[in-house]
Amino acid sequence: MNLEPETFSVEVASRFAQFGLQCVFQEYPHVHCYWLESDADLIPHRQLNPAFYGCLDWHSAVHNHWMLTRLIRYFPEADFVSSAREIFNQNLTPKNIKAETKFLQSQPRFECPYGLAWFLQLMAELTEWEDEQAQDLLEDLHPLQTIVINNLHNWLLTLSYPNRTGLHNQTAFALGLIWDWAKITHYQQLLDEIEYKARKFYHQDYNYSLHCEPLGYDFLSPCLAEADLMRRVLPASEFAEWLTIFLPKLPQEFKIDGFHPITVNNPEDYGQSHFDGLNLSRAWMLDGIISGLSPGDNRIPALEVVANLHRQVGLNPVSGNFYGGSHWLGSFAVYLGTKRGLTLKNY
């Protein structure tokens, strides 16, 4: 059954699918950050991470595999489907996953939390996909999932303060992705841990100023990611009250020029490409906040206007024509376009 979203056509999806198809096998340029004890640990990333070695970095390789999985589910007859399925056959083999598992066991802080959260999004997608290949992949990836969950669990236990930046290590965004996986798989222990940390870190926050964003080269909004997490964790009535305290100037503060979509002046700059991603993530987080409010909430019209403006700009990323943007922006566009953050099961 074709489940094409009303505003996300197969033509648009195909453009972003090409981003992933082109980069998952591209070995260089590459950024690899892990702990070294000696010269003996200087091993090419293709050997350490034979499943997720492309797309500039490990996390981008992971969420491009997620993106291709998501797109196959939505557009099963699209031209890119056979190529995407072949990528899974080549990259996600038991041998490659065994090597990935061994590496994450030896590097418990590697890609924690951002990349590991995206890995659980991949597992969530495969879990909901009623497909023979998907079920085989779930079985093959299960050992790696076990290590990922263990590493995230240990990270959460020792996390004393949240990361409130707009980059990879931001706490709220990762917790939102992990929460959705835990909901789909009924992993109650992790749900309880996330709710405890979210309430501890964010429940007493108040009077945030939207005009302070973005910070540097953000691709995530600190305040919107926090609110998008809290709408998952809190009951609807409690979330509405919390949002009033957290962002008391809504919707008036949206009139400030600083919260319009961000313009990329140099699309070849890797840092500035983050602004294309920021427009996309702002749009889906605003959609998420709206979904957590009652239909009659008087803040919704302004939230919808700003979300739609960011969506229109974000789905035409100027940096997508260069590797600095193309190696990851497709995933963000598909997450927005298929409304992944709004429902746990779209069919």
Side-chain angles (χ1 to χ4, degrees):
M1 180 172 59
N2 191 315
L3 298 157
E4 178 181 330
E6 183 178 347
T7 59
F8 197 69
S9 68
V10 67
E11 290 77 18
V12 174
S14 295
R15 181 193 174 202
F16 292 116
Q18 291 305 313
F19 290 178
L21 294 174
Q22 290 167 10
C23 79
V24 291
F25 294 130
Q26 183 166 331
E27 200 164 349
Y28 294 101
H30 192 80
V31 176
H32 208 207
C33 299
Y34 66 101
W35 191 265
L36 300 174
E37 293 287 354
S38 68
D39 288 354
D41 294 327
L42 287 169
I43 301 171
H45 67 279
R46 179 65 178 270
Q47 296 178 31
L48 295 173
N49 305 114
F52 303 116
Y53 62 88
C55 302
L56 190 71
D57 40 44
W58 192 87
H59 56 258
S60 298
V62 169
H63 60 65
N64 269 283
H65 283 78
W66 166 83
M67 176 191 69
L68 294 172
T69 305
R70 184 78 173 162
L71 288 177
I72 293 173
R73 294 182 67 200
Y74 265 87
F75 305 106
E77 306 301 324
D79 292 341
F80 56 75
V81 168
S82 60
S83 297
R85 285 184 178 273
E86 184 56 31
I87 284 172
F88 302 154
N89 290 334
Q90 292 187 45
N91 287 358
L92 305 183
T93 65
K95 180 181 178 180
N96 289 349
I97 297 306
K98 183 177 181 180
E100 296 276 359
T101 302
K102 180 181 178 180
F103 180 72
L104 260 66
Q105 281 179 311
S106 68
Q107 299 281 336
R109 291 289 182 174
F110 179 72
E111 289 285 357
C112 188
Y114 182 81
L116 303 189
W118 272 112
F119 176 81
L120 292 184
Q121 281 289 299
L122 172 61
M123 297 301 288
E125 209 65 47
L126 293 170
T127 298
E128 290 188 332
W129 187 15
E130 297 176 359
D131 177 85
E132 183 177 352
Q133 185 183 28
Q135 298 312 304
D136 290 341
L137 290 171
L138 271 177
E139 182 177 350
D140 293 341
L141 287 164
H142 186 265
L144 183 56
Q145 176 181 274
T146 300
I147 300 303
V148 166
I149 295 170
N150 182 68
N151 290 355
L152 286 170
H153 173 74
N154 291 334
W155 165 72
L156 266 176
L157 285 178
T158 59
L159 189 65
S160 299
Y161 301 97
N163 184 303
R164 296 176 181 271
T165 68
L167 298 173
H168 303 86
N169 288 328
Q170 186 196 109
T171 303
F173 175 68
L175 291 182
L177 295 187
I178 299 165
W179 174 275
D180 288 351
W181 168 84
K183 275 288 189 180
I184 289 169
T185 58
H186 309 290
Y187 202 100
Q188 192 60 45
Q189 179 184 0
L190 205 47
L191 290 171
D192 292 342
E193 291 174 358
I194 292 172
E195 180 175 354
Y196 171 77
K197 290 292 187 180
R199 288 181 176 272
K200 177 183 178 181
F201 292 154
Y202 306 120
H203 200 254
Q204 301 304 315
D205 286 356
Y206 64 94
N207 201 26
Y208 189 96
S209 294
L210 282 169
H211 74 272
C212 293
E213 299 185 11
L215 313 173
Y217 289 120
D218 284 355
F219 63 89
L220 301 168
S221 163
C223 75
L224 296 185
E226 178 177 338
D228 198 27
L229 170 65
M230 295 304 278
R231 63 93 179 169
R232 290 170 163 95
V233 171
L234 300 178
S237 59
E238 187 177 351
F239 171 68
E241 294 173 0
W242 175 87
L243 188 65
T244 298
I245 296 170
F246 180 54
L247 293 172
K249 297 179 181 178
L250 283 181
Q252 294 89 344
E253 197 160 14
F254 279 151
K255 297 177 182 179
I256 297 174
D257 290 341
F259 213 75
H260 288 170
I262 307 302
T263 300
V264 176
N265 296 316
N266 181 5
E268 297 185 55
D269 182 86
Y270 278 59
Q272 284 202 31
S273 75
H274 281 186
F275 294 150
D276 276 326
L278 179 61
N279 291 330
L280 292 164
S281 63
R282 277 181 172 181
W284 84 55
M285 290 171 186
L286 287 163
D287 285 344
I289 293 166
I290 292 168
S291 75
L293 297 172
S294 63
D297 194 292
N298 61 12
R299 291 167 289 192
I300 289 179
L303 290 168
E304 289 178 334
V305 169
V306 178
N308 288 332
L309 190 58
H310 280 79
R311 181 181 296 105
Q312 292 167 13
V313 175
L315 288 176
N316 293 285
V318 297
S319 58
N321 295 321
F322 304 92
Y323 194 60
S326 66
H327 80 272
W328 68 284
L329 284 173
S331 305
F332 273 49
V334 171
Y335 191 95
L336 169 64
T338 63
K339 304 182 184 299
R340 183 49 173 164
L342 297 184
T343 58
L344 296 179
K345 190 165 185 177
N346 289 312
Y347 45 96

